[in-house]
Amino acid sequence: MSPASPVWLRVRLLRVLWALLAVLPWPWKLWALIHNFQECTWQVALNKFQRVGENLESDRFLHQEPVDTVRNVFNMLVDSPIDRREKYLGFPYYLKINYSCHGQDSEDLVRRGHLIGLKPLVLVTFQAPANFYRWKIEQLQIQMEAAPFRSKEPCPATEVCVMSWYTPMPIKNGSVVMRVDVSSNGVGPIIPNQRFHVNINGFLKMEGDKIQFTVGDELFDLKLRYFVNVPSRPLWYNVDQSPVLILGGIPNEKTLIMTSTNFKEFSLVELSIDSCWVGSFYCPQAEFSATIHDAISTESTLFIRQNQLVYYFTGTYSTLYEGSHSSGKWVRVLASECIKRLCPVYFSSNGSDHIIALTTGKHEGYIHFGTITDGLVSFELLPRNQSMCQRLLADRCSITWATFISGENTLILLVEIYYQKSDEKYYQLTNYNLITNEMNILYTMPLFIPDAGGLEFLMILGTETYTNTPMVPKGLFFNVYNNLLFIWGNFLLQSYNTENFLYLADFPKESTIKYLVNSFQGDVVIVTETEEIWYLLEGTYQLSRLFPSKGWDIHVSLQVMKESSLYASNETMVTLFYEEDKLYQLVYLIQKQQGHLVKRQVPVENVLLYKQYNKYHVEPEGNFRTLIFTNFCPFEVMRLGNLPNPQAYTRQERYLARPPMVLNPSGFHTENSLAVYQGLVYYLLWLHSKYDKPYADPVHDPTWRWWKNKKQDKDYYSYLASNWLSAGGVHIDMDSYEKVYDLKASYRLPERIFLDKGAEYHFSIFLTARGHSFEMGTVVGSVFKVRSRVSVGVVVADPSCTESLVQQRVLVKRNSVLFLVTLRDKSVCYDQGISGHHLMKTSLMVKVVGSSGFCFQHTHLGPRLQGNLMVPVFIGCPPGKRLAFDITYTLKYMRLKNKHYYDCIYQDPEMPCFLFRDMFYPFFLIQDLVTGDSGSFKGSYVLKVVGGGRSLGSIVDYNEEEIYRYNSPLDKTDSRIWTTRTAGTTQDMAFHIMSYENSGIEWLCLENSPCYDLTPQGIFPPEFYFKVLVSNRDVDNSTYCDYQLIFLLHIHGLPLSAKRALFLLIVSASVLVGLVILYIIICLLWPYVVRACSHLRWRINNIIASESYYTYATSSRVFSLSSQPSFEAISKVPSQVDTKVENQEDQPKLEPAEENQPESLLSAQPSASLSSL
């Protein structure tokens, strides 16, 4: 750190002895076990699909689309459970997994682990997106078992030289932030579980075969002047949703540190922006600098401030939004404004990320409130109509800091105010509501720091005494989970209601806070201008200085003895940040005249523990004296019990996928088997995404459709595998791809809790007291009662919305106390909402009195603070709940009630038909996609027809006025489509209220409805598709969930109107009568027609025959003239024939003439007659 710690000048013997004494009370076997736990670590790298098996560095996460690289492999699986007609795709990356232990060769360790049965288990968690309007909000996980694979490098050994484990790296639409947890299957060496952040970097592009940054040029030289003697700076980002983190502050360089792995790997990038500055009369510019002063990352966009200019760059994330939303270069925004500071907004709101820009110059007293939705950036000038100075009636004002409370749509502003009548400047805390445009003054800051008089904290009431040190506020910090507001500067104030403030006196007024870091799980870290690090547990008042401190020096001394590479004599802190509940530090180390950046965990627990060993005393025991350390913890053991199964409260959906079995004695996979693994994981996630359909399956499980036609052949596939006959050398076990519904609690409170209306969460706390901590208490009118001095406090952040109940049971014989804790929703603070939308953030805090900073649990990963628990709580409709049309029970019930069921002529198993004249009884299911529960919806609901058409392609949506006319019982225009016998209606009597007991619907299709008087398209009666909306909003008070289901109903057998029916009857009768008359006429006239036709045919045949004879006679005469000398004798014969043919009266005399014709001519006449017919 800067300045360098003095412990590096000389290692003090006393501090080392303290450190050794700290571990003496532990048994040496336990110390050795803990040592072994910490020595081995997992290693995870990202490899492209084509580079599997190559011992190269980790690839960058750039490609986001599934790849068609596994189709040929699946085509080979001719005799397997899969359906080869389905489309199987792969992911562009694999996860390569190894492990290493200190002082041992990693390749030998991996081979040994494989031979003894070690299999890494990989749990990938997909973070839900910010825009819940575009994507479904869900907490999705998939657990995979890694597959062993031999390296492609040449190896002289028979079996294997180098190997690794591989799993697919899945990608999911709507998620760009992934957490990868690696654990062991319990066989082999003890390796602690480890978490890695593997996020998509949307700020990369391919240039040929090289990967380059779109925001600038990557630098590979970490110069000393970038970090040495440079103050640390805060790391600002959208919590849990920013895939890429950025950090500026490099002096006189337009350079950022960028990472998509939470600084496990990082890059130094010089931004492609111009560094010029054009000043103006309303933009005061004291000096020019290329330094990036503020840097904030959101889910899709990066924001920076250079001087008083603001730029943003939207990444390329095809899994979030269209490619047209991405930026090609840095975009300068608020070009005509002077921006003095960017303030972060840590959580998204209403489907968007936000950012706040504070102005100076012509718009002093205003802020620019930025909204980022799917990569599109917009800013709004606030307050509307009037500046903050005008609203506060101040001559001049300046907004020092602003923070946004998303749940209330409120801005909290720290305003510096000047009045001409006074030389003093005042600071006021105000709030501004974005909906109502109202502004209120919450608190006026004292001019001077109060005198606490030796107390840890002081309630500021206005009657206390003050020091001569002016109170200079610098910023604000608001925790949305526990409503705790901090005002910081050369002091620290905290408040739970923004009205009553506590002054924390442990922080010295001589120091000035530079920034705060919050874990949002009860921990706060403070960094001062002199790089001091202070620690505070939220809800307490004791501040502890971590650096510089004796506890820090002891820890560093021990690390020097272990020759740790994470510490050096010359180091500079770059930033501090939290990953979940662990504090990390980015530090620039100089070792052997070489500088490099490292990420290391800040040992908060170790430092606090070492500080306790300063207090000890010596007691004589016989002839010896014993060194005894004072333990201030009020209990010895703290355990949590009776924890319910977590999935019902955490809403984590988990899938299980194991690699296919390879028919190989060594157990190593091939590229083909890994490709099959890729395709199976892809198809499993595809089934999950397609499961959210309106018609419920008979079995409530997304994987049911995958294997429903193959389950009966399971034994056959097992037989093929056992005899090494499976196609492609791969056996797919259908039970290896499933959804997990029965996760068990891990004796820790979950990361978060979701509560529906009136829901409860129960758990117990078991405390073993230290020493004798029981006393006998008396209650008037009762017997003696045992009371414990160990007490527990439970704090709810919003007591008007939630309540907690604590029951105490004293276990005297075990010197312990059992506390039964219940958290309950009061059912008053939340309206109905879509599943996972607009959830109210609150929290539950559990504190053992007197334990803050003094109680530790010694684990294999080191000491851990005990006695303080904090759980974020979300109130509203939990994610993973949906309403579905129960088609199976609906058909069964309608057969029972109507005594029959008639489907369409052309049946569709996915959408059965319903007959118009039958009563329609719809039933619905409430399906829990997390726990697998599925039951009938027993609440009330409103059913509306909101669209329709004669075919699936012609369905149109109706407008509000049409929906009212088609569905309302108050309609007087004869437009109703349906009716019901249910009497209940909404408050305005506009629509019927249906329920499980009263669900019968009678179809009407009145005169002005769209389904009235349809013309049949063929011989079958008309059909119609109705688009139906079912919602329980405002009619069902049993849940916070606004269940909205839109599905299609196929109705056949629609009747015709009276006019059209009569017209069709007349037309049909007329046609029938006409056909009968025509038949009679034909029957009467048929003999005459036959006789006439016969006579006509005979005449035609005679004419054709005579024509044929004439033609033959003519041709014969010509031939005779050319061969005989006498022409006149021969020419007389055809003239007589011509005269007979032309004379109609002599025509019957042709029969004798035919007898005189030559034999050849007579033989040709029948053929001529037949051809004429």
Side-chain angles (χ1 to χ4, degrees):
M1 291 188 179
S2 179
S5 174
V7 75
W8 294 102
L9 302 179
R10 56 191 180 94
V11 180
R12 298 181 181 179
L13 179 61
L14 181 59
R15 295 177 182 174
V16 176
L17 290 176
W18 282 345
L20 294 176
L21 290 173
V23 301
L24 283 179
W26 296 353
W28 69 270
K29 291 184 179 180
L30 178 62
W31 172 253
L33 179 63
I34 293 177
H35 180 75
N36 290 335
F37 262 104
Q38 295 177 338
E39 287 299 320
C40 295
T41 58
W42 293 107
Q43 297 173 351
V44 172
L46 194 71
N47 283 169
K48 288 184 179 180
F49 188 95
Q50 299 80 3
R51 299 174 60 183
V52 62
E54 299 179 5
N55 297 326
L56 301 174
E57 297 180 354
S58 179
D59 292 314
R60 290 175 173 175
F61 207 151
L62 166 63
H63 304 288
Q64 308 172 34
E65 299 291 340
V67 291
D68 190 7
T69 53
V70 301
R71 179 182 303 178
N72 295 333
V73 179
F74 275 85
N75 289 336
M76 297 188 304
L77 306 181
V78 293
D79 204 356
S80 64
I82 66 165
D83 186 355
R84 291 186 297 144
R85 294 172 297 179
E86 297 290 343
K87 188 174 183 180
Y88 288 86
L89 298 178
F91 300 104
Y93 297 100
Y94 284 99
L95 285 176
K96 176 183 176 182
I97 302 167
N98 292 317
Y99 77 94
S100 61
C101 298
H102 181 70
Q104 302 183 49
D105 183 69
S106 177
E107 297 178 0
D108 295 339
L109 291 173
V110 172
R111 284 195 298 268
R112 187 187 311 163
H114 170 66
L115 294 176
I116 63 178
L118 173 63
K119 294 181 180 180
L121 303 179
V122 177
L123 180 66
V124 179
T125 303
F126 301 94
Q127 183 62 39
N131 189 358
F132 48 70
Y133 295 110
R134 184 182 182 93
W135 304 104
K136 182 177 68 172
I137 298 300
E138 58 186 1
Q139 314 291 323
L140 182 62
Q141 296 178 327
I142 180 169
Q143 183 172 340
M144 299 172 290
E145 182 183 291
F149 187 84
R150 285 179 288 194
S151 174
K152 294 181 180 179
E153 294 184 355
C155 176
T158 305
E159 289 295 332
V160 59
C161 282
V162 180
M163 62 156 290
S164 300
W165 289 281
Y166 287 87
T167 66
M169 180 60 213
I171 300 173
K172 173 182 169 295
N173 280 336
S175 182
V176 293
V177 175
M178 281 82 75
R179 297 199 311 253
V180 176
D181 295 284
V182 183
S183 60
S184 169
N185 63 342
V187 179
I190 301 175
I191 310 174
N193 300 347
Q194 202 164 345
R195 173 168 293 181
F196 300 87
H197 292 261
V198 184
N199 305 328
I200 299 177
N201 193 336
F203 303 93
L204 297 173
K205 63 180 179 180
M206 292 296 300
E207 291 287 345
D209 296 335
K210 296 182 179 180
I211 298 178
Q212 296 184 357
F213 282 90
T214 58
V215 297
D217 299 324
E218 184 176 5
L219 304 178
F220 300 96
D221 185 13
L222 297 179
K223 299 180 180 180
L224 294 178
R225 63 181 180 86
Y226 291 168
F227 304 101
V228 175
N229 298 324
V230 175
S232 66
R233 47 276 196 193
L235 181 65
W236 288 337
Y237 57 94
N238 195 317
V239 177
D240 292 334
Q241 288 185 320
S242 294
V244 175
L245 306 182
I246 57 175
L247 191 64
I250 297 178
N252 300 316
E253 297 290 341
K254 51 180 182 180
T255 305
L256 290 177
I257 302 174
M258 299 184 63
T259 178
S260 60
T261 58
N262 277 34
F263 294 102
K264 179 179 178 291
E265 299 170 349
F266 57 88
S267 300
L268 193 65
V269 181
E270 183 180 16
L271 306 184
S272 55
I273 58 174
D274 52 353
S275 300
C276 63
W277 169 252
V278 180
S280 62
F281 67 94
Y282 58 83
C283 267
Q285 180 69 14
E287 58 181 0
F288 165 80
S289 173
T291 306
I292 305 299
H293 298 286
D294 298 327
I296 300 176
S297 62
T298 65
E299 184 182 41
S300 61
T301 309
L302 308 179
F303 290 87
I304 61 169
R305 179 180 68 88
Q306 184 191 47
N307 300 312
Q308 292 173 325
L309 306 178
V310 176
Y311 299 86
Y312 76 85
F313 197 106
T314 300
T316 303
Y317 289 105
S318 58
T319 58
L320 290 179
Y321 44 77
E322 295 82 5
S324 60
H325 296 186
S326 305
S327 300
K329 61 180 180 180
W330 286 94
V331 180
R332 182 180 173 187
V333 68
L334 304 174
S336 61
E337 299 292 335
C338 305
I339 306 302
K340 64 179 180 180
R341 176 176 289 119
L342 295 179
C343 296
V345 178
Y346 294 99
F347 296 94
S348 58
S349 171
N350 198 26
S352 302
D353 295 331
H354 299 286
I355 190 173
I356 301 173
L358 306 183
T359 64
T360 184
K362 65 176 182 179
H363 281 152
E364 190 82 36
Y366 289 92
I367 68 167
H368 290 276
F369 186 69
T371 301
I372 306 99
T373 306
D374 288 342
L376 301 178
V377 180
S378 62
F379 280 90
E380 182 182 7
L381 186 65
L382 298 175
R384 305 181 185 96
N385 302 327
Q386 288 182 323
S387 70
M388 192 60 64
C389 303
Q390 295 171 331
R391 291 172 179 260
L392 296 175
L393 303 178
D395 297 321
R396 187 165 58 90
C397 71
S398 177
I399 300 177
T400 304
W401 200 275
T403 186
F404 179 63
I405 304 177
S406 58
E408 303 174 4
N409 288 314
T410 300
L411 286 166
I412 297 182
L413 307 172
L414 180 62
V415 187
E416 184 180 356
I417 303 172
Y418 300 88
Y419 295 101
Q420 292 182 353
K421 298 180 181 180
S422 174
D423 296 334
E424 301 287 345
K425 58 181 178 180
Y426 302 88
Y427 291 92
Q428 287 186 337
L429 191 68
T430 65
N431 70 344
Y432 174 76
N433 191 286
L434 275 66
I435 305 300
T436 63
N437 199 32
E438 295 180 355
M439 189 273 292
N440 297 307
I441 299 176
L442 300 176
Y443 184 69
T444 301
M445 306 285 298
L447 295 179
F448 298 94
I449 295 178
D451 185 4
L455 301 176
E456 291 182 348
F457 67 94
L458 181 67
M459 174 72 75
I460 299 181
L461 301 174
T463 59
E464 56 277 348
T465 59
Y466 294 89
T467 64
N468 296 325
T469 304
M471 180 176 282
V472 184
K474 296 289 187 179
L476 304 173
F477 191 94
F478 185 82
N479 191 336
V480 295
Y481 289 110
N482 56 15
N483 300 324
L484 186 59
L485 174 67
F486 290 100
I487 306 178
W488 48 268
N490 57 346
F491 61 93
L492 186 62
L493 297 180
Q494 72 175 23
S495 172
Y496 284 99
N497 57 7
T498 67
E499 296 179 1
N500 302 313
F501 283 85
L502 293 176
Y503 169 67
L504 303 185
D506 284 348
F507 185 78
K509 60 181 180 297
E510 294 80 16
S511 299
T512 301
I513 298 175
K514 183 164 55 174
Y515 59 90
L516 267 64
V517 182
N518 198 306
S519 67
F520 296 101
Q521 295 186 7
D523 306 284
V524 178
V525 171
I526 300 166
V527 180
T528 67
E529 297 286 353
T530 58
E531 305 301 338
E532 294 180 352
I533 303 175
W534 293 74
Y535 176 76
L536 172 67
L537 276 171
E538 291 182 333
T540 65
Y541 317 107
Q542 298 176 349
L543 279 165
S544 301
R545 187 169 63 179
L546 301 179
F547 174 83
S549 66
K550 292 182 178 179
W552 181 271
D553 293 341
I554 293 175
H555 172 75
V556 173
S557 300
L558 293 175
Q559 297 302 314
V560 171
M561 296 172 61
K562 294 173 61 176
E563 298 181 353
S564 173
S565 60
L566 299 178
Y567 294 85
S569 59
N570 189 358
E571 60 183 34
T572 301
M573 184 175 70
V574 180
T575 190
L576 279 174
F577 60 96
Y578 268 100
E579 280 186 14
E580 288 79 35
D581 57 345
K582 297 180 180 179
L583 181 65
Y584 286 90
Q585 192 179 33
L586 189 63
V587 183
Y588 184 76
L589 305 179
I590 300 179
Q591 296 175 333
K592 299 179 180 179
Q593 297 181 352
Q594 296 291 328
H596 58 280
L597 282 173
V598 297
K599 171 189 173 183
R600 70 188 185 194
Q601 184 177 349
V602 178
V604 177
E605 294 83 359
N606 288 328
V607 173
L608 296 178
L609 181 62
Y610 295 154
K611 289 176 63 177
Q612 292 190 19
Y613 292 109
N614 290 335
K615 300 179 181 179
Y616 59 91
H617 62 278
V618 179
E619 292 184 357
E621 289 188 4
N623 297 328
F624 304 96
R625 292 188 302 172
T626 304
L627 184 65
I628 299 177
F629 294 91
T630 305
N631 196 327
F632 297 96
C633 184
F635 60 86
E636 292 184 355
V637 177
M638 177 179 178
R639 292 197 300 267
L640 298 180
N642 298 325
L643 292 168
N645 290 343
Q647 285 180 287
Y649 298 95
T650 62
R651 313 306 299 166
Q652 287 282 5
E653 297 183 67
R654 179 175 294 187
Y655 288 89
L656 176 64
R658 300 185 183 93
M661 186 180 74
V662 291
L663 307 182
N664 188 335
S666 62
F668 287 107
H669 281 251
T670 63
E671 293 185 8
N672 287 343
S673 63
L674 288 181
V676 172
Y677 198 10
Q678 286 258 12
L680 294 174
V681 172
Y682 168 83
Y683 197 78
L684 182 63
L685 294 178
W686 182 84
L687 288 173
H688 167 80
S689 65
K690 297 300 180 183
Y691 186 66
D692 190 16
K693 58 182 183 177
Y695 281 67
D697 285 337
V699 178
H700 177 40
D701 192 290
T703 63
W704 172 76
R705 285 180 174 270
W706 198 359
W707 313 115
K708 66 176 182 176
N709 298 325
K710 298 288 187 176
K711 280 289 187 180
Q712 65 271 17
D713 302 327
K714 179 180 177 181
D715 294 337
Y716 169 69
Y717 298 125
S718 299
Y719 167 78
L720 292 179
S722 61
N723 290 275
W724 296 56
L725 299 175
S726 298
V730 172
H731 170 62
I732 300 175
D733 184 6
M734 291 178 280
D735 295 332
S736 296
Y737 304 88
E738 60 183 353
K739 193 169 186 178
V740 182
Y741 298 108
D742 56 351
L743 292 179
K744 304 301 181 182
S746 58
Y747 300 99
R748 293 187 61 181
L749 289 179
E751 294 183 5
R752 61 184 68 87
I753 294 174
F754 292 85
L755 293 181
D756 199 355
K757 192 171 188 177
E760 297 181 352
Y761 183 80
H762 306 269
F763 65 96
S764 63
I765 303 174
F766 180 83
L767 294 174
T768 300
R770 185 176 299 279
H772 300 286
S773 60
F774 297 101
E775 61 182 11
M776 303 299 294
T778 58
V779 180
V780 178
S782 64
V783 297
F784 288 100
K785 185 177 181 180
V786 179
R787 294 187 303 181
S788 172
R789 297 177 183 176
V790 179
S791 57
V792 171
V794 179
V795 181
V796 292
D798 294 278
S800 61
C801 302
T802 57
E803 62 180 353
S804 62
L805 303 176
V806 181
Q807 297 179 355
Q808 176 181 336
R809 295 180 183 177
V810 179
L811 309 176
V812 179
K813 293 183 178 181
R814 301 176 63 179
N815 194 29
S816 303
V817 186
L818 182 66
F819 296 92
L820 305 178
V821 182
T822 301
L823 175 65
R824 179 184 302 155
D825 172 64
K826 288 186 175 182
S827 307
V828 294
C829 283
Y830 190 81
D831 196 5
Q832 286 181 300
I834 305 298
S835 176
H837 292 203
H838 303 290
L839 299 176
M840 175 184 174
K841 295 182 177 69
T842 182
S843 65
L844 170 72
M845 300 178 68
V846 180
K847 297 183 178 297
V848 180
V849 177
S851 65
S852 298
F854 299 114
C855 298
F856 301 90
Q857 179 186 17
H858 297 286
T859 68
H860 62 277
L861 298 177
R864 189 177 65 184
L865 280 171
Q866 272 192 317
N868 294 270
L869 304 173
M870 189 269 193
V871 182
V873 179
F874 295 85
I875 298 177
C877 183
K881 285 191 173 183
R882 73 173 192 130
L883 186 68
F885 181 34
D886 190 359
I887 185 63
T888 304
Y889 186 70
T890 297
L891 293 176
K892 179 180 179 181
Y893 189 82
M894 289 186 64
R895 285 191 180 97
L896 178 65
K897 296 292 289 185
N898 298 324
K899 308 301 181 183
H900 63 263
Y901 170 72
Y902 299 110
D903 204 343
C904 290
I905 301 299
Y906 303 103
Q907 299 180 6
D908 182 1
E910 298 294 333
M911 188 186 300
C913 292
F914 298 94
L915 189 62
F916 178 87
R917 69 171 183 263
D918 290 344
M919 287 290 291
F920 178 60
Y921 298 94
F923 292 93
F924 303 94
L925 294 173
I926 296 297
Q927 292 185 333
D928 194 326
L929 304 178
V930 178
T931 63
D933 297 333
S934 181
S936 296
F937 176 54
K938 300 298 182 64
S940 302
Y941 61 89
V942 173
L943 186 145
K944 302 176 186 177
V945 177
V946 297
R950 299 203 59 176
S951 64
L952 291 175
S954 62
I955 295 177
V956 296
D957 294 329
Y958 303 144
N959 56 39
E960 293 295 332
E961 190 257 339
E962 291 174 333
I963 292 175
Y964 178 84
R965 289 193 295 108
Y966 299 157
N967 299 274
S968 175
L970 302 179
D971 176 67
K972 305 299 181 183
T973 62
D974 291 336
S975 302
R976 296 182 63 188
I977 294 177
W978 62 278
T979 187
T980 181
R981 299 174 184 175
T982 303
T985 60
T986 56
Q987 293 182 356
D988 56 0
M989 302 183 67
F991 301 100
H992 286 289
I993 297 179
M994 314 290 290
S995 64
Y996 179 83
E997 293 80 10
N998 302 299
S999 62
I1001 290 176
E1002 180 182 356
W1003 300 109
L1004 297 178
C1005 289
L1006 297 181
E1007 183 176 356
N1008 295 320
S1009 65
C1011 56
Y1012 175 77
D1013 193 20
L1014 299 178
T1015 304
Q1017 297 178 350
I1019 63 174
F1020 301 111
E1023 300 179 354
F1024 201 85
Y1025 290 89
F1026 291 113
K1027 190 175 184 180
V1028 181
L1029 168 66
V1030 175
S1031 174
N1032 70 330
R1033 186 170 184 83
D1034 298 329
V1035 297
D1036 181 21
N1037 297 323
S1038 63
T1039 177
Y1040 285 138
C1041 292
D1042 178 9
Y1043 294 121
Q1044 291 188 6
L1045 173 65
I1046 297 178
F1047 63 100
L1048 297 179
L1049 272 180
H1050 190 185
I1051 306 298
H1052 70 114
L1054 274 73
L1056 303 175
S1057 65
K1059 294 181 180 179
R1060 187 177 297 275
L1062 179 60
F1063 173 76
L1064 291 178
L1065 178 61
I1066 294 173
V1067 173
S1068 300
S1070 301
V1071 172
L1072 180 61
V1073 171
L1075 291 176
V1076 172
I1077 294 173
L1078 180 62
Y1079 176 75
I1080 295 173
I1081 293 173
I1082 292 174
C1083 290
L1084 294 174
L1085 298 179
W1086 183 252
Y1088 300 97
V1089 173
V1090 172
R1091 186 181 304 170
C1093 290
S1094 299
H1095 181 70
L1096 179 62
R1097 186 179 62 179
W1098 178 75
R1099 295 289 299 272
I1100 293 173
N1101 289 338
N1102 289 337
I1103 294 172
I1104 294 174
S1106 62
E1107 290 289 341
S1108 300
Y1109 174 75
Y1110 172 76
T1111 304
Y1112 172 77
T1114 304
S1115 59
S1116 299
R1117 184 179 57 186
V1118 174
F1119 176 78
S1120 300
L1121 290 175
S1122 61
S1123 60
Q1124 297 180 6
S1126 178
F1127 177 79
E1128 294 179 356
I1130 299 175
S1131 63
K1132 292 179 181 180
V1133 178
S1135 65
Q1136 293 177 359
V1137 176
D1138 293 341
T1139 305
K1140 292 178 181 180
V1141 174
E1142 293 175 1
N1143 191 349
Q1144 298 297 330
E1145 296 179 357
D1146 298 332
Q1147 189 171 355
K1149 296 180 180 180
L1150 288 172
E1151 294 180 3
E1154 292 176 359
E1155 296 178 1
N1156 299 326
Q1157 292 177 3
E1159 184 179 356
S1160 61
L1161 180 61
L1162 291 176
S1163 63
Q1165 287 181 4
S1167 62
S1169 301
L1170 291 175
S1171 63
S1172 65
L1173 292 177

